[in-house]
């Protein structure tokens, strides 16, 4: 499983894991998990549309993920956030289904889009994936403190002069990019799991924000590496292992935190 | 109700009007706050205290009026105003320790990933000690009690060395002993840092020993001045729109409505009846 044709899988998996772990930390911190569930569906519709018109799926993924992220951003200013997100989620799934039914696409490709594929990123796409990944991480770094501040105490951040709208939009763009890169590897239905599982576990285990980001990236890497290996060895979709490991890490962290709390103070 | 010279005032609120859903919340509110003074913002539930704070901070839409700091309109960059909101909800799982929240008060608005300088860590420790929060500096904010969070939030709002500190009902939910403790702490810190304080409360009595001036809100209107100037039957009766008496007993001030007006009583705007 370390053969040359698998090198792609390991490299793209590693990039995606680091990105999802870092972005996911803020998704969980901001309570935006619902958006992280909706945007992959938009990306899915984009990829389906790209197959339909015969362009690179990455273009469809990125553009539709951005569209749905900005759609969520705009509508959430008018209505309650979860309603807006739920509406765009359903609309995007429907759109993706429509695209797939009119295009003559092979069933394995649909499966890969939904549940992930270890060879989901072709070698010609490795460079764009790397560039988009680096850009996303750079934006996250630039916005790090205002992001944490607006997530933890939005009212205090605004009182301190933070432009919450700018931070919101930048964040949604990064979530969209991270999603577009993650969907081909983990699948549209399970990208959510990679973005939520490791950071949710990390924040329970670690009390410091900086270290919790690092913990989240670490757990995410373990998740993806184990999943690629297991998927190759057992010939099951990679998304299955990602979803299962995310749940296992989260439950494990909860149990560990419980023991820590109930242990008598020394 | 002496008006201060605009040139000497730290903060000036001029003819602010706020309405929501077609209802006037604040009408022609004007008052000023001087450097280093302790001002009590007194009013009952729904009087508009929180709304007034949000206007001062520039995060509340208002129909007219302006807020001047050092005689200049507020912008994003010139605001040296600290704020402790009425309630902040922190998830217990939030990976943010008390000291992290305090540090965000210093650099949470800054872009870019720079290492925090040693001096900032020292300032955080110093600030946490100043509000007696050193003992729980390394605990997650979400796991702290309301009173403990209050102290951390005060440290958070003071670390940027503001000239004005707004505290929205910091004394609610505190037991009487803690009320005295927090007031003494605020008074101490305010004098040491030379920061002016505007603190809102339902009850003025605990504040009488430290309050330099009072801003009294009722019926959407405001009366301001020293306690002696404002807490008088004539001024408060005009504010409430019906007659109230002011009794001074054992160093306490009681504002008492002599008779409720005929017709439906204005719900949330009646003065407090103090029976003790
Ligand atoms: N977003 C809003 N939309 C409509 N009305 C509002 C809004 N915010 C506040 N109000 C109304 O404005 C009035 C003043 O509210 P505010 O929160 O400023 O009162 P307060 O003096 O802080 O009260 P409390 O002591 O209960 O905190 C209330 O009647 C409230 O219902
Ligand atoms: Mg209030």
């Amino acid at each position: 499983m370390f053969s040359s044709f698998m090198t792609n899988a390991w490299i793209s998996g590693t990039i995606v894991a680091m990105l999802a772990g870092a972005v996911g930390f803020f998704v969980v911190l901001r309570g935006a998990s619902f958006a992280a569930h909706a945007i992959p569906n938009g990306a899915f519709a984009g990829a389906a549309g790209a197959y339909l018109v015969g362009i690179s799926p990455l273009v469809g993924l990125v553009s539709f993920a951005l569209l749905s992220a900005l759609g969520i951003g705009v509508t959430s200013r008018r209505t309650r956030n979860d309603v807006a997100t739920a509406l765009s989620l359903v609309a995007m799934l429907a759109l993706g289904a429509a695209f797939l039914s009119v295009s003559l696409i092979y069933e394995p490709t649909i499966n890969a889009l939904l549940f992930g594929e270890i060879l989901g990123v072709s070698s010609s796409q490795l460079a764009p994936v790397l560039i988009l990944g680096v850009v996303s991480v750079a934006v996250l770094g630039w916005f790090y403190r205002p992001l944490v501040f607006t997530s933890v105490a939005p009212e205090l951040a605004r009182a301190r002069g933070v432009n919450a709208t700018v931070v919101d939009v930048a964040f949604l763009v990064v979530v969209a990019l991270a999603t577009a890169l993650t969907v081909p590897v983990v699948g549209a239905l399970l990208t959510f799991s990679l973005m939520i599982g490791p950071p949710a576990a990390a924040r329970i285990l670690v009390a410091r924000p900086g270290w919790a980001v690092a913990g989240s990236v670490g757990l995410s890497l373990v998740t993806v590496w184990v999943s690629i290996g297991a998927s190759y060895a057992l010939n099951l979709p990679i998304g299955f292992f990602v979803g299962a490991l995310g749940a296992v890490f989260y439950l494990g962290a909860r149990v560990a935190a419980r023991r820590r709390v109930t242990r008598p103070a020394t | 109700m002496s008006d201060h010279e605009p040139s000497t005032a730290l903060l000036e609120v001029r003819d602010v009007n706020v309405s929501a859903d077609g209802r006037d919340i604040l009408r022609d509110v004007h008052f000023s706050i001087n450097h280093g003074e302790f001002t009590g913002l007194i009013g009952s539930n729904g009087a508009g205290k929180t709304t007034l704070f949000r206007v001062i901070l520039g995060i509340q839409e208002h129909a007219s009026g302006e807020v001047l700091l050092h005689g200049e309109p507020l912008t994003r960059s010139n605001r040296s105003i600290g704020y402790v909101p009425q309630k902040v909800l922190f998830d217990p799982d939030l990976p943010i320790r008390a000291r992290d929240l305090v540090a965000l008060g210093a650099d949470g608005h800054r872009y870019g990933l720079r290492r925090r300088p040693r001096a900032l860590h020292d300032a955080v420790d110093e600030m946490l000690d100043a509000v007696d929060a050193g003992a729980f500096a390394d605990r997650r904010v979400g796991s702290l009690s309301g009173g403990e969070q209050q102290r951390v939030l005060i440290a958070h709002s003071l670390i940027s060395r503001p000239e004005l500190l707004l505290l929205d009902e910091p004394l609610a939910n505190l037991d009487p002993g803690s009320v005295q403790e927090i007031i003494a702490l605020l008074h101490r810190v305010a004098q040491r840092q030379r920061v002016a304080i505007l603190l809102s409360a339902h009850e003025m009595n605990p504040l009488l020993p430290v309050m330099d001036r009072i801003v009294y809100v009722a019926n959407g209107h405001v009366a301001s001045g020293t306690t002696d100037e404002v807490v008088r039957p004539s001024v408060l009766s005009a504010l409430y729109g019906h007659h109230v008496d002011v009794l001074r007993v054992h160093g306490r001030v009681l504002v008492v409505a002599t008779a409720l007006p005929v017709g439906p009583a204005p719900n949330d705007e009646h003065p407090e009846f103090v029976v003790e």
Side-chain angles (χ1 to χ4, degrees):
Chain A
M1 69 186 191
F2 297 98
S3 63
S4 65
F5 96 105
M6 278 292 289
T7 314
N8 244 356
W10 290 110
I11 295 176
S12 58
T14 301
I15 298 171
V16 159
M18 293 176 72
L19 187 57
V23 173
F25 173 79
F26 295 98
V27 170
V28 173
L29 197 68
R30 293 175 92 74
S33 7
F34 211 41
H37 200 173
I39 296 175
N41 290 289
F44 163 74
Y51 284 122
L52 181 62
V53 296
I55 53 170
S56 156
L58 191 60
V59 174
L61 285 164
V62 170
S63 54
F64 269 62
L66 280 173
L67 269 181
S68 28
L70 295 178
I72 289 170
V74 170
T75 35
S76 67
R77 308 220 153 260
R78 309 249 167 86
T79 62
R80 277 189 43 222
N81 206 349
D82 52 352
V83 176
T85 315
L87 284 175
S88 48
L89 175 119
V90 178
M92 284 303 182
L93 265 183
L95 199 60
F99 285 158
L100 288 180
S101 67
V102 290
S103 66
L104 296 167
I105 196 167
Y106 296 116
E107 200 178 314
T109 317
I110 302 174
N111 256 332
L113 266 183
L114 288 174
F115 301 106
E117 228 252 89
I118 46 174
L119 299 172
V121 176
S122 66
S123 50
S124 66
Q125 285 172 345
L126 214 48
V129 163
L130 183 63
I131 291 167
L132 288 178
V134 169
V135 167
S136 305
V137 168
V139 173
L140 269 191
W142 178 251
F143 281 93
Y144 177 71
R145 292 210 171 103
L147 256 177
V148 171
F149 201 5
T150 51
S151 312
V152 169
E155 181 93 344
L156 287 175
R158 288 181 66 201
R160 192 77 176 79
V162 175
N163 188 335
T165 310
V166 168
V167 177
D168 272 353
V169 170
F171 177 66
L172 282 172
V173 167
V174 171
V175 175
L177 287 181
T179 303
L181 303 190
T182 309
V183 164
V185 177
V186 195
L189 294 182
L190 294 142
T191 290
F192 170 74
S193 166
L194 185 62
M195 278 206 190
I196 302 302
R203 78 178 208 149
I204 293 172
L205 296 173
V206 187
R208 301 181 182 207
W211 292 15
V213 178
S216 172
V217 170
L219 286 179
S220 179
L221 277 172
V222 172
T223 303
V224 169
W225 285 339
V226 170
S227 300
I228 290 178
S231 168
Y232 182 84
L234 304 173
N235 201 21
L236 284 168
I238 183 170
F240 164 73
F241 298 101
V242 169
L245 278 176
V248 165
F249 280 144
Y250 181 73
L251 288 177
R254 271 265 167 258
V255 170
R258 254 209 128 71
R259 292 168 62 104
R260 193 174 55 205
V261 170
T262 49
R263 202 171 49 206
T266 45
Chain B
M1 276 209 266
S2 66
D3 267 325
H4 283 248
E5 292 297 316
S7 55
T8 59
L10 168 63
L11 180 91
E12 208 189 331
V13 175
R14 278 195 194 160
D15 303 322
V16 163
N17 284 277
V18 180
S19 47
D21 304 335
R23 213 163 47 86
D24 287 343
I25 297 172
L26 294 173
R27 272 169 284 177
D28 298 327
V29 168
H30 66 99
F31 65 90
S32 56
I33 289 176
N34 298 320
H35 289 274
E37 276 188 355
F38 196 117
T39 306
L41 176 64
I42 309 297
S44 40
N45 285 126
K49 303 182 294 296
T50 302
T51 306
L52 187 52
F53 279 141
R54 292 172 48 87
V55 169
I56 294 174
L57 289 164
I59 55 178
Q60 166 82 49
E61 303 259 336
H62 49 283
S64 64
E66 55 183 353
V67 177
L68 305 176
L69 192 70
H70 295 298
E72 307 272 329
L74 281 173
T75 64
R76 254 178 217 293
S77 51
N78 77 349
R79 65 183 74 198
S80 63
I81 302 181
Y83 179 43
V84 179
Q86 187 162 5
K87 53 175 182 281
V88 186
L89 290 177
F90 295 111
D91 184 335
D93 282 341
L94 210 57
I96 302 284
R97 301 162 302 165
R99 63 169 69 257
D100 298 318
L101 186 65
V102 176
L104 282 176
D107 64 11
H109 61 298
R110 295 239 172 89
Y111 295 98
L113 256 189
R114 258 160 279 131
R115 256 189 93 81
R116 285 187 170 139
R118 184 73 242 162
L120 176 56
H121 291 289
D122 294 342
V124 169
D125 281 330
E126 201 180 298
M127 217 60 247
L128 283 163
D129 284 339
V131 298
D132 298 326
F136 39 85
D138 289 312
R139 288 193 28 213
R140 295 178 191 236
V141 271
S143 72
L144 301 177
S145 80
E148 290 166 342
Q149 286 183 2
Q150 189 86 265
R151 287 164 192 269
V152 176
L153 285 168
I154 293 172
H156 163 93
S157 62
L158 281 175
I159 197 165
S160 57
R161 303 277 161 177
E163 291 170 283
L164 174 63
L165 176 59
L166 309 180
L167 296 134
D168 199 359
E169 298 198 38
L171 309 178
N173 310 320
L174 294 185
D175 58 71
S178 307
V179 166
Q180 291 310 322
E181 232 173 84
I182 289 280
I183 291 176
L185 180 153
L186 285 171
H187 191 57
R188 196 173 68 222
V189 174
Q191 298 215 312
R192 196 184 302 158
Q193 292 202 12
R194 257 189 68 71
V195 52
I197 288 187
L198 180 64
L199 180 151
S200 75
H202 301 131
E203 243 266 278
M204 71 179 99
N205 280 303
L207 300 172
L208 288 176
V210 294
M211 201 159 49
D212 296 307
R213 286 162 63 81
I214 187 168
V215 175
Y216 205 110
V217 206
N219 265 334
H221 291 287
V222 146
S224 68
T226 63
T227 346
D228 288 337
E229 287 167 339
V230 173
V231 189
R232 293 200 318 221
S234 58
V235 175
L236 293 187
S237 296
L239 203 56
Y240 280 111
H242 57 85
H243 186 75
V244 300
D245 277 325
V246 174
L247 309 177
R248 285 168 205 273
V249 197
H250 301 307
R252 289 170 61 85
V253 175
L254 311 182
V255 178
V256 185
T258 15
L260 288 173
V262 196
N267 251 335
D268 44 7
E269 288 152 358
H270 63 81
E272 48 207 322
F273 294 84
V274 187
V275 186
E276 256 172 43

